[in-house]
Amino acid sequence: MQETGNRLQQLPEPLVEWYRKNRRELPWRESPDAYRVWVSEIMLQQTRVEAVKPYYARFLKELPTVRDLAEADEEKLLKLWEGLGYYNRVRNMQKAANQIMIDYHGVFPCEYEEIRKLKGIGNYTAGAISSFAFGIAKPAVDGNVLRVISRIRGSYEDIMKQSVRKKIEEQIEEVIPEDAASDFNQGLIELGAIVCVPNGEPKCVECPVKHLCAAYEKGIQAELPVKKKPNARRIEHRTVLVFRDDGATAIRKRPAKGLLARMYELPNVEGTLNADEVIAYSKEIGLTPIRVKPLGEAKHIFSHVEWHMTGYFVQVDELERSCKPKMIFARPDEIKKRYPIPAAFEKYIGYAM
Ligand code: ADE
C-alpha cells in the first residue's frame, strides 16, 4: 500500500489533465482576474454553483471594479446580496475594497501575504485568488478539497478540526505544481464537486486518481470524511407580522449590531402569538387592526440560531400609520428596489407585494 506522501505526490499530473478536459464552463472561469475570482469565491462559500450564477452576473454588472464596490452605498450592496445570506461577507468585502483603494491605489494586490491580510479573506480565499488569478502555488482548501484529500489518504481525522485543515494545507502546498497551480487547485475543487461528491455515492469509476485513493482501495469511501457535528443551534420562536394598509406594508430597520445588522425586516416579536395576542400587540404599538389572517409557519437556519416563525397578515387602518416603535410603510416597488430584506422573511414578504 502507498504512503500518504506518495499518494499526494502523484496527484498533480492526472488531476490537472482531467481538469483541463472535464471542467465545467462557469462564468467566473472565463476571465479570472482577482476581483472576479474574489466575488465568486465569497458567493460560493455558502451557496450552490447554480444559485450563485445570477447573483454573480448582476453584482459584476452593477459593481464591475474594486472602486465601484468601495464606493457603493450600503443599501445597494445589501440589495445585491439579498437572498445569499451571511451579509457580513459582503460588508467585509466592502471594507477590503476600501483597503485596496487606500493601500494599493485600487489595484488588487498580487502577493499571497498581502491578499491574506484583506478583511474577510482567509486561507482558502487568499489561496484561490492567488492561484487562479496570479498562478501562485498556494493551497485553496475548502470543503471539497478536505473531502477529496481525506479519501485519498484514507484518513479518519475530523475535518472540522483546524489542526487537520492546517495539515492538509501543508501537504498540498508541498505538491502544488508551480506551472499549473490554478488548474491543480481548481481540479481538486472540481473533483470534489462533480466526482468525489459530498452527498450520495462518489463516482469512483470516473475518478482520474482512483489508483491513488486509499478509501477506494479499502472500500471505505462512504465513511469518509469524518465531520463531527458542531454544537446545536439555539432555537428562537418569533411571530412575524405583515401590517398592511391599502397600499403599503410596515417594515423596520434592524439594529446596527448583531444578526442581520442594518437590514430591513417585517416587524416581529419574540414568542408564538395567537390571533388575539396579535390584535392586542397591534393596538399596544398604536395600530388599528381591522382583519387578522394566519400565514402559517416557517423556519430559517442561521449559523448559530434557528428562527421558528409563525406569521400573521394584519390589515390596518390606513390613517393609523404612526406607531411606536417607528416603522416605514413601504410600497411593493420600494420593497423590491430599495430595501434589503433578508431571505429569512421569504415566506411572508410575498404578502407585502
Ligand atoms: N466551489 C467553490 N469554489 C468553486 C469554484 N471556483 N468553482 C466551482 N465550485 C466552487
Side-chain angles (χ1 to χ4, degrees), residues 284-347:
E284 206 177 287
I285 62 169
L287 293 170
T288 308
I290 298 170
R291 187 168 69 93
V292 174
K293 191 175 101 181
L295 299 177
E297 294 176 352
K299 197 195 275 188
H300 192 82
I301 297 176
F302 299 96
S303 45
H304 300 296
V305 64
E306 285 182 24
W307 279 1
H308 292 197
M309 296 169 281
T310 303
Y312 288 90
F313 180 91
V314 186
Q315 180 86 37
V316 295
D317 192 320
E318 199 170 350
L319 299 173
E320 297 289 347
R321 282 187 170 199
S322 59
C323 60
K324 263 194 171 160
K326 206 168 169 317
M327 312 233 193
I328 301 160
F329 276 84
R331 293 189 315 271
D333 60 316
E334 292 175 311
I335 293 178
K336 246 192 216 124
K337 290 213 189 80
R338 165 155 183 213
Y339 296 108
I341 309 237
F345 297 95
E346 197 172 12
K347 168 150 178 153

Side-chain angles (χ1 to χ4, degrees), residues 19 24 26 28-29 37 40-49 124 128 132 142-144 185-186 189-190 193-194:
Y19 176 70
R24 290 169 295 174
L26 297 173
W28 42 91
R29 288 180 178 163
V37 171
S40 66
E41 290 303 335
I42 299 294
M43 288 185 172
L44 285 161
Q45 272 169 27
Q46 312 284 346
T47 313
R48 286 176 307 106
V49 164
Y124 168 74
F132 305 174
D142 71 350
N144 288 310
N185 278 345
Q186 294 201 70
I189 295 169
E190 193 74 342
I194 65 179

Side-chain angles (χ1 to χ4, degrees), residues 43-115:
M43 288 185 172
L44 285 161
Q45 272 169 27
Q46 312 284 346
T47 313
R48 286 176 307 106
V49 164
E50 283 311 311
V52 161
K53 285 180 183 173
Y55 283 97
Y56 176 76
R58 190 179 63 168
F59 194 96
L60 283 182
K61 183 158 168 269
E62 294 286 322
L63 306 174
T65 66
V66 171
R67 175 184 292 276
D68 295 313
L69 172 57
E71 291 175 356
D73 149 287
E74 190 185 42
E75 260 163 39
K76 175 175 176 172
L77 202 59
L78 293 172
K79 199 71 199 160
L80 285 169
W81 210 262
E82 184 184 81
L84 281 171
Y86 302 90
Y87 296 89
N88 280 340
R89 290 186 295 169
V90 70
R91 291 202 172 103
N92 284 339
M93 283 182 78
Q94 188 169 46
K95 288 184 190 145
N98 278 303
Q99 270 174 282
I100 297 171
M101 294 309 296
I102 294 164
D103 297 344
Y104 306 100
H105 309 290
V107 180
F108 211 102
C110 58
E111 301 277 348
Y112 175 85
E113 296 302 336
E114 303 298 312
I115 297 170

